[in-house]
């Protein structure tokens, strides 16, 4: 049953990855997660912004980025601007303020489309994991034919459960996006 446990673990990791991707999509209140994919030049190396700054929410529409080293402010502003987050970036002393406007109807549709894309990519990953697990079960000479069929049923059950979870997460995210 190592195949089944390995399959579950990989599917769980896919779900976690989807949650992280959804976290980068702004819905309602701005969060530090919006900056997770922002990479900035820190001491000559491109790194996630959170490695060089504290990120906090000031208001439902504003984030504050406070660099650990004030000399990196310009590089952080540059990285944030390149990430094209759709916000206004201003420097306030040694900190950076990001002001996010309420998303327009077009922007919401764009966010929904992106959320659906992330969900579909996760479903494809789940199906690929299922295929690999089924192939591993077929190659396992220690399994009888009945055991192999039972394992394939269990793998399918896990696939169905994870797919339903992806659909639920997507529905929740779309609801968040629509209720801004």
């Amino acid at each position: 049953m190592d195949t089944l446990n390995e399959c579950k673990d990989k599917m769980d990791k896919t779900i976690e990855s989807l949650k992280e991707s959804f976290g980068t999509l702004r819905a309602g209140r701005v969060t530090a997660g919006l900056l997770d994919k922002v990479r900035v030049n820190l001491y000559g190396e491109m790194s996630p912004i959170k490695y060089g700054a504290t990120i906090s929410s000031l208001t439902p529409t504003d984030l504050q980025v406070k660099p650990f080293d004030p000399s990196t402010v310009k590089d952080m502003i540059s990285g944030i601007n390149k990430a094209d987050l759709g916000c206004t970036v201003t420097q306030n002393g040694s900190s950076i303020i990001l002001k996010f406007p309420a998303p327009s109807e077009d922007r919401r549709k764009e966010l929904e489309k992106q959320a659906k894309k992330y969900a579909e990519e996760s479903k494809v990953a789940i199906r690929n994991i299922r295929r690999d697990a089924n192939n591993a079960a077929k190659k396992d000479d220690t399994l009888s034919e009945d055991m192999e069929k039972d394992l394939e049923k269990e793998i399918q059950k896990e696939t169905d459960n994870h797919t339903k979870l992806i659909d639920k997460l997507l529905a929740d995210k779309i609801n968040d996006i629509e209720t801004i």
Side-chain angles (χ1 to χ4, degrees):
M1 288 297 163
D2 287 341
T3 304
L4 183 60
N5 290 334
E6 192 177 311
C7 175
K8 280 182 189 178
D9 288 345
K10 286 181 180 176
M11 288 182 180
D12 288 343
K13 286 177 184 164
T14 300
I15 296 294
E16 287 308 309
S17 176
L18 176 63
K19 287 178 182 176
E20 286 176 21
S21 294
F22 279 172
T24 64
L25 296 177
R26 177 174 168 229
R29 187 175 176 79
V30 294
T31 63
L34 286 171
L35 301 181
D36 281 354
K37 293 193 175 169
V38 175
R39 300 181 70 74
V40 296
N41 183 359
L42 294 175
Y43 313 111
E45 193 169 315
M46 294 306 281
S47 305
I49 194 167
K50 62 185 174 185
Y51 289 0
T54 304
I55 302 165
S56 56
S57 187
L58 296 175
T59 68
T61 59
D62 297 352
L63 284 178
Q64 179 181 39
V65 178
K66 221 170 171 42
F68 301 137
D69 178 358
S71 70
T72 61
V73 169
K74 296 279 185 251
D75 288 329
M76 288 196 180
I77 290 173
S78 173
I80 292 166
N81 285 330
K82 281 182 189 161
D84 192 26
L85 300 171
C87 65
T88 306
V89 182
T90 55
Q91 185 175 346
N92 184 4
S94 64
S95 64
I96 304 163
I97 307 296
L98 308 176
K99 292 190 175 292
F100 290 86
S104 65
E105 190 61 36
D106 289 343
R107 178 69 178 142
R108 284 189 204 142
K109 285 188 182 346
E110 207 176 288
L111 290 170
E112 285 181 28
K113 195 184 298 183
Q114 189 66 39
K116 288 175 183 174
K117 179 178 167 234
Y118 288 150
E120 189 54 41
E121 288 169 355
S122 295
K123 285 181 180 181
V124 169
I126 294 288
R127 290 192 293 266
N128 288 340
I129 293 166
R130 176 190 60 194
R131 181 198 61 220
D132 294 345
N134 283 338
N135 287 343
K138 286 180 181 138
K139 290 178 184 171
D140 191 344
D141 297 333
T142 63
L143 296 177
S144 69
E145 205 173 301
D146 287 343
M147 289 170 70
E148 183 184 320
K149 293 286 181 214
D150 289 344
L151 180 58
E152 285 178 1
K153 284 180 186 171
E154 286 295 315
I155 291 169
Q156 185 59 47
K157 196 164 91 175
E158 282 303 315
T159 302
D160 293 342
N161 290 341
H162 283 81
T163 302
K164 285 178 190 164
L165 182 56
I166 290 170
D167 289 337
K168 183 188 179 323
L169 291 170
L170 176 62
D172 290 347
K173 188 63 180 181
I174 287 176
N175 188 34
D176 282 351
I177 291 168
E178 289 175 347
T179 56
I180 295 174

